[in-house]
Amino acid sequence: EGQLMESGGGLVQPGGSLRLSCAASGFSFSSSWMSWVRQAPGKGLEWVANIKQDSFEKYYVDSVKGRFIISRDNAKNSLYLQMNSLRADDSALYYCVRETQTPLGFPNWYFDLWGRGSLVTVSS
Amino acid sequence: EIVLTQSPATLSLSPGQRATLSCRASHSVSTSLAWYQQKPGQAPRLLISEASNRATGIPPRFSGSGSGTDFTLNISSLEPEDFAVYYCQQSGDWPPITFGQGTRLEIK
């Protein structure tokens, strides 16, 4: 079935940086598109970024473009999110998420495996 | 950007009743829509993809329908464990992938 485990969250001052990591196990990580999805306290879900299996395609929500960088290391079964120039409205629980594929192996960009999340708090 | 609007914001029903949740897209997403369930303190769980395909392990009381801009999640007979927040999500026109704001299903 698989498992995802995030780490690296914490308290950071506005303008600061943080790097989230996600360790994947129990499935073929190198065959999966991966995403980060966040949820501010008491709020809804917001997709942040995703990355193709070979890292050649990466996409971001407008609010984080130029500040966040998604990356992966298939040899280590790991996904990363480098977050720079953090703002108060970036405060959220950040989920590492696997994206679905059709039976023929084409991506269809739903989310079928979620980690437990890593909490990021941006505050002075 | 595709905006998804869910209604109602809160739905109060009793166990055994039928629940109908709505998700409307600002532009057509064909059938590229999913539904998720989220319970307090837990990550979301995929229920339905491609508008009507139940995910692995999801009981048949959950069903999805719709295409284009109007979608519905039905729960035929509510069990106590079904009371949660439900989100729709589109992948028909991205980036960005977008979610609805959620419908809270609460016990009446």
Side-chain angles (χ1 to χ4, degrees), chain A residues 52-69:
Chain A
K52 193 179 177 182
Q53 295 93 326
D54 58 11
S55 301
F56 285 145
E57 294 184 47
K58 305 176 184 181
Y59 301 94
Y60 300 88
V61 67
D62 281 351
S63 61
V64 309
K65 279 181 185 175
R67 299 188 300 123
F68 289 12
I69 300 172

Side-chain angles (χ1 to χ4, degrees), chain B residues 6-10 85-88 100-104:
Chain B
Q6 293 186 240
S7 61
T10 303
V85 179
Y86 291 83
Y87 295 95
C88 57
Q101 83 279 15
T103 289
R104 180 178 304 277

Side-chain angles (χ1 to χ4, degrees), chain A:
Chain A
E1 173 57 35
Q3 189 173 6
L4 298 168
M5 185 166 296
E6 303 91 341
S7 60
L11 175 64
V12 61
Q13 292 188 337
S17 297
L18 213 53
R19 188 194 196 208
L20 301 182
S21 299
C22 170
S25 60
F27 68 98
S28 179
F29 177 78
S30 61
S31 299
S32 301
W33 278 76
M34 297 294 296
S35 267
W36 290 97
V37 173
R38 67 184 178 184
Q39 187 170 36
K43 302 298 184 183
L45 301 167
E46 181 182 36
W47 171 79
V48 174
N50 67 354
I51 184 168
K52 193 179 177 182
Q53 295 93 326
D54 58 11
S55 301
F56 285 145
E57 294 184 47
K58 305 176 184 181
Y59 301 94
Y60 300 88
V61 67
D62 281 351
S63 61
V64 309
K65 279 181 185 175
R67 299 188 300 123
F68 289 12
I69 300 172
I70 189 171
S71 63
R72 64 192 296 163
D73 185 335
N74 289 338
K76 295 183 178 179
N77 288 337
S78 293
L79 179 72
Y80 306 100
L81 187 67
Q82 177 66 43
M83 302 184 293
N84 301 321
S85 302
L86 282 160
R87 312 185 305 218
D89 61 358
D90 294 318
S91 296
L93 187 64
Y94 283 74
Y95 292 105
C96 171
V97 191
R98 182 182 70 187
E99 298 187 12
T100 58
Q101 297 179 355
T102 68
L104 292 178
F106 296 105
N108 51 6
W109 300 291
Y110 305 116
F111 307 119
D112 67 344
L113 182 65
W114 298 65
R116 300 188 67 167
S118 183
L119 185 62
V120 172
T121 303
V122 184
S123 175
S124 55

Side-chain angles (χ1 to χ4, degrees), chain B residues 86-101:
Chain B
Y86 291 83
Y87 295 95
C88 57
Q89 173 245 319
Q90 68 83 22
S91 61
D93 184 3
W94 72 279
I97 295 169
T98 54
F99 290 88
Q101 83 279 15

